[in-house]
Amino acid sequence: MRVSLTRACRFYTSPITPKPSFFSPRAILNQPFSSSSSSSSHSSTPKPKTPLFLKPPKYSATLSDLKKWHNWAKALASSVRSTFADSDNGPDSSILFRELNWLVEDSLEDPSLIPQLGFQNNSQSVRLRIGLDELYGLWKQRIEKRKPFQYLVGCEHWRDLVLSVEEGVFIPRPETELMVDLVSDVLVRDNDGLRDGFWVDLGTGSGAIAIGIARVLGSKGSIIAVDLNPLAAAVAAFNAQRYGLQDIIEIRQGSWFGKLKDVEGKLSGVVSNPPYIPSDDISGLQAEVGKHEPRLALDGGVDGLDYLLHLCNGTASMLKPGGFFAFETNGEKQCKFLKNYLENDSACSFCNVSIVSDFAGIQRFVTGFRQ
């Protein structure tokens, strides 16, 4: 979790520009989602929304009418110029233009028709996944309310995944992709010693980290993904099943270690991207983040360390000897504090505690092993 919205290959990226990715796994996702999932069913469980690109193309419009909307939307984006960027490091017009093109791609049944938007008075009818009136409304929300683009289209591209997200669920960030690489590196060094056991992703959100790790573990391991937010738990279950990982990932709704008594002392690994923004900093965040993403996923208390310290204190009793942990932080100051805490104030519970930098060279992760 970070203070600005970023996008690995499609969406608004600031301030970190991560490695580009051009692989689109949407073909994997074009299977229906059933009511069964890796979480236990309950009548009050929220039902995740369908991402725009997976909706059936039940609307139609002429290319002329679509071009009229596109010209209006482009003019609205152009009027922003650098206003958002100057205000809170938000997107400028050039970024909004790219988002507009992606919105058209997701809306059209046949994106190959996009070049024809340049022709005047084209009466050809095209199939859309969303009505023109709703397209006008969505783009007004993007510009006037600064609603995150990921919430408009209902998905986020992360690593080689396309994950469902919606308002009320934290949007995964590119730098968090490194969490999966850290686990993968440990598994390579440790062979099957840690691969065969239980792993836990605490505060899973959309399930991004859990899904990434599950694909690394393969059929040998299993991962429990925990989130307090019932909508996030439902979305995580949706995403896990979309990738056929419902037998490897178990979704549990609850608070941190409270739902893990049955695996205490047995875990091969604990990973988490917890809330770590100091409370007083929330109001100064980019509008897309501070006004729209769930505060529950952002606010880490007075100094941002409340949940990070809770993770440190609880992980010692959860990991088996030699078990691995990795936590994402707000940066250098939190990393150094946690490293010192784990090495000196945790009753010698951990060893090989390290700080790992993100794509931009910012100290971002704290990792280590249970003694």
Side-chain angles (χ1 to χ4, degrees), residues 79-148:
S79 69
V80 171
R81 300 183 183 275
S82 65
T83 303
F84 297 164
D86 295 340
S87 172
D88 57 16
N89 199 34
D92 61 18
S93 290
S94 64
I95 292 169
L96 293 170
F97 292 155
R98 291 201 296 270
E99 292 183 354
L100 179 59
N101 290 336
W102 296 326
L103 179 56
V104 175
E105 287 179 9
D106 280 8
S107 300
L108 276 170
E109 179 187 29
D110 182 5
S112 67
L113 295 172
I114 290 177
Q116 297 190 38
L117 287 176
F119 297 108
Q120 299 291 334
N121 302 320
N122 192 328
S123 61
Q124 179 181 346
S125 181
V126 294
R127 303 292 296 175
L128 297 171
R129 304 180 190 279
I130 184 174
L132 269 181
D133 288 345
E134 193 171 354
L135 275 174
Y136 276 102
L138 283 182
W139 197 245
K140 285 188 70 174
Q141 290 182 65
R142 180 68 187 105
I143 304 300
E144 296 178 3
K145 295 186 177 181
R146 303 280 300 275
K147 189 171 183 177

Side-chain angles (χ1 to χ4, degrees), residues 64-259:
S64 291
D65 286 341
L66 188 60
K67 178 179 174 59
K68 180 180 178 181
W69 165 81
H70 188 265
N71 289 342
W72 166 84
K74 191 171 182 179
L76 199 59
S78 181
S79 69
V80 171
R81 300 183 183 275
S82 65
T83 303
F84 297 164
D86 295 340
S87 172
D88 57 16
N89 199 34
D92 61 18
S93 290
S94 64
I95 292 169
L96 293 170
F97 292 155
R98 291 201 296 270
E99 292 183 354
L100 179 59
N101 290 336
W102 296 326
L103 179 56
V104 175
E105 287 179 9
D106 280 8
S107 300
L108 276 170
E109 179 187 29
D110 182 5
S112 67
L113 295 172
I114 290 177
Q116 297 190 38
L117 287 176
F119 297 108
Q120 299 291 334
N121 302 320
N122 192 328
S123 61
Q124 179 181 346
S125 181
V126 294
R127 303 292 296 175
L128 297 171
R129 304 180 190 279
I130 184 174
L132 269 181
D133 288 345
E134 193 171 354
L135 275 174
Y136 276 102
L138 283 182
W139 197 245
K140 285 188 70 174
Q141 290 182 65
R142 180 68 187 105
I143 304 300
E144 296 178 3
K145 295 186 177 181
R146 303 280 300 275
K147 189 171 183 177
F149 182 72
Q150 290 89 334
Y151 289 161
L152 298 186
V153 295
C155 69
E156 167 68 310
H157 292 229
W158 192 83
R159 293 181 69 89
D160 58 348
L161 306 169
V162 184
L163 299 170
S164 172
V165 293
E166 60 184 88
E167 196 145 15
V169 178
F170 183 73
I171 301 167
R173 304 307 204 261
E175 65 271 20
T176 307
E177 295 177 7
L178 282 171
M179 191 82 77
V180 179
D181 296 326
L182 293 172
V183 172
S184 180
D185 291 344
V186 167
L187 293 177
V188 169
R189 295 196 303 268
D190 192 70
N191 296 317
D192 291 335
L194 297 177
R195 188 184 298 271
D196 295 341
F198 291 100
W199 286 73
V200 167
D201 173 21
L202 293 169
T204 194
S206 65
I209 298 174
I211 292 170
I213 293 176
R215 298 173 83 196
V216 171
L217 292 175
S219 59
K220 290 186 176 181
S222 60
I223 184 162
I224 302 169
V226 180
D227 205 290
L228 181 63
N229 178 357
L231 179 58
V235 168
F238 178 97
N239 286 324
Q241 182 158 342
R242 297 296 298 177
Y243 283 96
L245 296 170
Q246 64 271 21
D247 293 332
I248 298 176
I249 299 175
E250 177 188 355
I251 310 297
R252 298 186 184 182
Q253 184 191 337
S255 179
W256 304 111
F257 301 104
K259 292 287 185 175

